Amino acid sequence: MPSDPWVYVLDEQELCDSRPRVVRPRGVPVLLIKKKGEIYALTNKCSHMGCPLDCGTLTGFVLECPCHDWKYDIRTGVFLGAAEISLKAYEWRITEKRVFIKIEV
Ligand code: FES
């Protein structure tokens, strides 16, 4: 029987606006970003050379990688320099103020 893909990661109140948090459901590095009341869940690995994005700079909805300055739109995960490149986005949900991320194994 397949296991439940929804993994609890943290309580909603632990997410502060514009302050990205790294969580690791089933060992997968996921960057959670709360921005203007919305939540975005993206891989924490840059599409360029894999640098962790949690040390990057968030300006509005644009996240800049700390290693070589690639910029991504957190709403879509798309790299601003080439639309065919994007960060993996994860589905998320909140149940009873607890945040879950869907991790397919
Ligand atoms: S690893 Fe992110 S821009 Fe190079």
Side-chain angles (χ1 to χ4, degrees):
M1 186 170 124
S3 61
D4 183 355
W6 291 98
V7 180
Y8 164 77
V9 290
L10 47 67
D11 291 345
E12 185 180 8
Q13 66 188 25
E14 295 179 67
L15 276 180
C16 300
D17 200 84
S18 300
R19 291 178 61 188
R21 284 279 306 265
V22 181
V23 293
R24 299 183 187 282
R26 296 200 173 113
V28 177
V30 176
L31 188 61
L32 278 177
I33 303 171
K34 185 175 185 181
K35 189 74 181 173
K36 296 189 176 180
E38 188 59 65
I39 294 174
Y40 305 95
L42 302 165
T43 179
N44 193 35
K45 292 174 68 174
C46 181
S47 295
H48 180 218
M49 295 179 71
C51 279
L53 292 166
D54 58 301
C55 296
T57 304
L58 183 64
T59 305
F61 289 97
V62 175
L63 179 63
E64 182 174 330
C65 178
C67 292
H68 313 100
D69 307 329
W70 280 28
K71 294 182 175 75
Y72 299 92
D73 186 325
I74 61 169
R75 295 168 290 191
T76 59
V78 169
F79 171 48
L80 298 185
E84 66 273 19
I85 298 173
S86 62
L87 300 172
K88 178 176 175 55
Y90 292 90
E91 290 182 59
W92 60 271
R93 75 177 186 203
I94 295 175
T95 302
E96 297 174 350
K97 300 184 178 179
R98 290 157 47 93
V99 181
F100 293 78
I101 293 179
K102 189 175 186 180
I103 300 291
E104 305 283 2
V105 287

